[in-house]
Amino acid sequence: MKILISNDDGYLAPGIVALADALRPHADITVVAPDSNRSGASNALTLDRPLSVSRADNGFYFVNGTPSDCVHIALTALMKEAPDLVVSGINQGQNMGDDTLYSGTVAAATEAYLFGVPAIAFSQVDKGWDKLADAAKVAAEMVLRGFPKLTKPYLLNVNIPNLDHAAIQGVRAARLGKRHASEPVIQSQDPSGRVIYWIGPVGAVKDTSEGTDFATTAKGFVSVTPLQIDLTNPKQMQALAEDLL
Ligand SMILES: Nc1nc2c(ncn2[C@@H]2O[C@H](COP(=O)(O)O)[C@@H](O)[C@H]2O)c(=O)[nH]1
C-alpha cells in the first residue's frame, strides 16, 4: 500500500512525524508537507510565484507552499505512481464543524480527493500534542482496518480525543457540528504606531447536539465524518428560481 502523508502544521510538526512513524511499518510512505505552519490556509493554492521542493535528512519533502500545493505537487510531479491513500495530519487541534472550511489539514486531503485518491484528515481535539502517540496508533488502526473495505474514493474528516488509547470509547460516524461566527478581529499598533490586526479567536461551538462531531468526541469517541465537495444548496434552488430569477 502506497500512502502520501501531508499536513498543514509543517514538515517538522510532531503530528506528521508520529503519523509517519505509525504507518511506516505497514505501507510505502511518502511525506510532502509545508516548510512552515500553514494553519488556516484552507484550500489555497500558490499561483503568484513558483514553488520549490526540498528534502530533509529524514526523507520528508517540504515545500514553500500550502497544504494543497504539497499534495498537488506530490500527485502530479514527485510520485511516479499514484498513492492508494492520502492521509493528512495529525493536526494540533480540532477540525470540527465549520473548522473544516478553514482547515489546511482537511484541504490537503481534499486536494487528493479531487484527484480521485481516497483521503483522510486526522486531527487531535486539543492542542498541545498530549497523547499524540495514542492518536497515531488510532490513525494507523483506522487506515489498516478501514482502507481495504472502501473502494470508491472517499474524503473522511477524523477527530481523535486526547486520551490514552485504552480510554478511547470507539469510532463513530458523526455529522459536522456548527460554530458561532468568529470572534472580532484584535486591533493593536506596531512600534511605529501603525494599526495592525490579528484575526480573532474561532467562534464558540453552537451545535453540539447528539450525533455531531463535537458531541461524539466529547464522549471519548473518535468522530469520522464523510465530506463532500459539491457546495450547491439544493434547498435554495427552488427559492432562487422564485425569488431572484
Ligand atoms: N483564530 C481563528 N481560528 C479559526 C477561525 N476559524 C477557524 N479557525 C481555526 O483554524 C484552524 C484551521 O485548521 P488547520 O487544520 O488549518 O490547523 C481550525 O482549528 C479552526 O478552528 C477564526 O476565525 N479564528
Side-chain angles (χ1 to χ4, degrees):
M1 177 166 45
K2 286 186 182 301
I3 299 179
L4 169 64
I5 303 175
S6 191
N7 76 348
D8 81 325
D9 290 332
Y11 78 103
L12 294 171
I16 199 166
V17 173
L19 186 57
D21 288 347
L23 290 173
R24 188 175 290 111
H26 311 288
D28 172 9
I29 65 168
T30 301
V31 179
V32 185
D35 59 358
S36 61
N37 188 329
R38 304 303 298 266
S39 188
S42 190
N43 300 89
L45 287 173
T46 302
L47 305 178
D48 61 345
R49 59 177 172 82
L51 298 166
S52 58
V53 179
S54 308
R55 193 147 197 203
D57 293 343
N58 65 358
F60 289 9
Y61 293 96
F62 56 98
V63 179
N64 60 340
T66 68
S68 297
D69 292 333
C70 293
V71 174
H72 186 100
I73 291 172
L75 296 182
T76 63
L78 292 182
M79 298 185 80
K80 293 179 177 44
E81 291 176 49
D84 301 293
L85 177 69
V86 173
V87 294
S88 175
I90 299 175
N91 192 62
Q92 181 180 199
Q94 62 194 254
N95 278 303
M96 296 192 269
D98 316 276
D99 299 338
T100 52
L101 297 173
Y102 298 93
S103 169
T105 306
V106 174
T110 302
E111 188 70 8
Y113 177 77
L114 290 169
F115 276 99
V117 181
I120 308 175
F122 289 107
S123 301
Q124 258 197 309
V125 172
D126 297 322
K127 291 185 186 291
W129 302 124
D130 182 33
K131 307 296 180 190
L132 178 58
D134 300 89
K137 186 174 179 181
V138 168
E141 287 168 348
M142 290 185 69
V143 167
L144 296 172
R145 185 179 66 241
F147 174 70
K149 295 175 191 160
L150 287 149
T151 51
K152 299 192 303 300
Y154 53 88
L155 174 56
L156 299 181
N157 184 46
V158 178
N159 282 270
I160 305 170
N162 299 54
L163 296 171
D164 288 335
H165 182 268
I168 288 182
Q169 299 301 300
V171 180
R172 291 284 183 276
R175 68 180 186 283
L176 297 181
K178 288 183 180 54
R179 288 187 183 279
H180 289 284
S182 299
E183 295 298 317
V185 73
I186 297 168
Q187 186 172 325
S188 183
Q189 284 191 345
D190 69 10
S192 66
R194 186 178 55 167
V195 176
I196 55 174
Y197 300 93
W198 278 100
I199 295 296
V202 66
V205 178
K206 184 164 75 174
D207 176 7
T208 61
S209 51
E210 186 63 27
T212 60
D213 43 12
F214 293 111
T216 301
T217 52
K219 291 176 183 168
F221 289 90
V222 175
S223 70
V224 183
T225 307
L227 302 180
Q228 60 186 2
I229 302 302
D230 181 351
L231 298 179
T232 307
N233 183 330
K235 296 174 190 165
Q236 292 186 351
M237 288 293 279
Q238 184 55 37
L240 187 68
E242 292 163 3
D243 295 350
L244 299 179
L245 303 180

